[in-house]
């Protein structure tokens, strides 16, 4: 398998290809091949801001939020879990990772296991947050000293706090009638 894209991206997307197999080759040639399905009309393939670079030694970043996702029960405590990635060329450990809710008080913990270049690790915070009602943002960022590329340090997602409804009256119907009545209704009325 060669790297490839298909379908419609609905706009620009950032794409990376790690070329560690070519570290000592000295000469690199890149080739783009475009093919299209004759039955579908799209604009085609475009490339912008192309760059070949040697990664900095220190470069930790967010590779995505793992949990929580979607709708959250208001009042429940959630412990965010993120995948962090070593985008750099040196082994890293003791990476400070922070999350915030709606840009509020930052919660920082450290990811201690070593991460080799181009590998990931998962941090699940031990200090959680209580879900807020309505829409809110959960953002995470790495704070590695001497980070060589700050553009990949953060990631954010929108979450929704959904109120939990608790019925005001409960009856298990195992004992005496607690006031329930029957009505003689005609079907369809």
């Amino acid at each position: 398998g060669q790297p490839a894209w298909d379908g419609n991206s609905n706009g620009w997307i950032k794409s990376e290809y790690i070329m560690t197999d070519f570290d000592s080759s000295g000469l690199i040639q890149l080739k783009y091949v475009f093919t299209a399905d004759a039955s579908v009309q799209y604009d085609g393939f475009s490339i912008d801001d192309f760059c070949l670079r040697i990664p900095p030694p220190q470069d930790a970043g967010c590779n995505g939020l793992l949990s929580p996702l979607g709708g959250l029960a208001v009042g429940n405590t959630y412990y965010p879990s993120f995948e962090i990635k070593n985008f750099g060329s040196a082994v890293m450990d003791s990476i400070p990772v922070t999350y915030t809710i709606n840009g509020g008080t930052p919660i920082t913990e450290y990811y201690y296991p070593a991460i080799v270049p181009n590998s990931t690790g998962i941090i699940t915070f031990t200090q959680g947050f209580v879900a807020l009602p309505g829409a809110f943002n959960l953002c995470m960022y790495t704070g590695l000293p001497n980070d060589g590329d700050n553009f990949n340090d953060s990631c954010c997602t929108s979450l929704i706090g959904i109120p939990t409804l608790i019925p005001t009256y409960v009856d298990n119907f195992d004992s005496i009638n607690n006031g329930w009545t029957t009505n003689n209704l005609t079907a369809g009325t």
Side-chain angles (χ1 to χ4, degrees):
Q2 298 295 319
W5 300 268
D6 68 352
N8 186 347
S9 68
N10 294 316
W12 291 102
I13 57 170
K14 179 181 178 183
S15 181
E16 294 180 345
Y17 182 70
I18 308 301
M19 300 180 3
T20 54
D21 294 340
F22 307 105
D23 281 350
S24 62
S25 65
L27 177 65
I28 297 175
Q29 293 181 349
L30 300 174
K31 179 180 178 181
Y32 293 94
V33 177
F34 174 77
T35 58
D37 182 340
S39 67
V40 180
Q41 299 293 319
Y42 287 115
D43 291 337
F45 185 81
S46 300
I47 298 174
D48 193 14
D49 297 335
F50 181 82
C51 176
L52 289 177
R53 68 176 177 92
I54 297 172
Q58 301 292 313
D59 184 11
C62 179
N63 209 40
L65 171 70
L66 302 177
S67 69
L69 300 171
L72 310 180
V74 169
N76 285 3
T77 301
Y78 294 90
Y79 300 89
S81 183
F82 298 94
E83 184 174 74
I84 57 175
K85 183 172 181 177
N86 181 349
F87 291 99
S89 60
V91 175
M92 294 185 295
D93 62 6
S94 302
I95 302 168
V97 183
T98 302
Y99 81 85
T100 63
I101 302 294
N102 285 340
T105 304
I107 306 298
T108 301
E109 296 184 9
Y110 284 80
Y111 182 83
Y112 286 109
I115 305 177
V116 298
N118 200 33
S119 295
T120 61
I122 296 172
I123 182 169
T124 300
F125 282 80
T126 58
Q127 186 172 346
F129 68 92
V130 176
L132 306 170
F136 61 96
N137 292 321
L138 169 63
C139 293
M140 171 268 180
Y141 56 91
T142 57
L144 188 67
N146 301 316
D147 192 305
D149 182 0
N150 294 321
F151 289 106
N152 58 18
D153 288 355
S154 64
C155 55
C156 294
T157 191
S158 294
L159 299 171
I160 298 175
I162 301 171
T164 304
L165 301 176
I166 300 172
T168 57
Y169 186 82
V170 177
D171 191 342
N172 64 8
F173 300 104
D174 288 341
S175 59
I176 61 169
N177 184 327
N178 287 323
W180 294 96
T181 61
T182 59
N183 289 327
N184 292 327
L185 298 176
T186 305
T189 60

